Amino acid sequence: EVISFSEVDYEGVRLPHDDPVVVTLMVELFTTKRILIDSGSSADIMYKHAFDQLRIPVDQLKPVKTPLVGFAGEMVNPLGSIDLSVVAGTTPRQTHVQMTFLVI
């Protein structure tokens, strides 16, 4: 479905701009704010602090052996991965998907 923006959405925005897209989603029925959408990333990442707030036991994480490599070449070893339910939007325009997050 098409996502579009009106003039009202540009209120307070200085044009031209290249701001990142930041959204709020429901992750495992918890409202999760300040989610950065990076369409150039090949991984869905969740920081350990956010994971802890979901109150999911760490033993639910699946092992991940491959490190993540950033643009500057830095390497981070994920604590593991987990499949979580994510809901975007509100009824009647709502979507529900399962996403695999790497927890770092």
Side-chain angles (χ1 to χ4, degrees):
E1 196 167 325
V2 175
I3 297 174
S4 62
F5 299 93
S6 70
E7 293 300 318
V8 173
D9 296 308
Y10 286 110
E11 188 175 309
V13 175
R14 293 184 198 186
L15 298 174
H17 71 91
D18 61 355
D19 300 332
V21 176
V22 179
V23 298
T24 298
L25 299 173
M26 294 291 290
V27 178
E28 290 297 314
L29 300 180
F30 286 90
T31 301
T32 308
K33 298 179 180 180
R34 297 184 342 208
I35 297 173
L36 173 65
I37 305 295
D38 179 359
S39 60
S41 177
S42 60
D44 295 315
I45 296 170
M46 177 180 291
Y47 288 102
K48 175 77 163 61
H49 179 72
F51 176 78
D52 289 342
Q53 291 181 334
L54 294 175
R55 298 187 184 118
I56 299 171
V58 175
D59 64 3
Q60 297 294 309
L61 292 174
K62 298 177 212 159
V64 174
K65 296 181 182 180
T66 307
L68 295 173
V69 180
F71 290 111
E74 72 279 8
M75 291 179 37
V76 175
N77 289 311
L79 300 172
S81 71
I82 190 160
D83 297 327
L84 298 175
S85 169
V86 176
V87 177
T90 56
T91 305
R93 300 192 181 277
Q94 188 175 67
T95 187
H96 178 148
V97 295
Q98 284 289 113
M99 295 179 64
T100 301
F101 291 91
L102 293 175
V103 180
I104 62 168

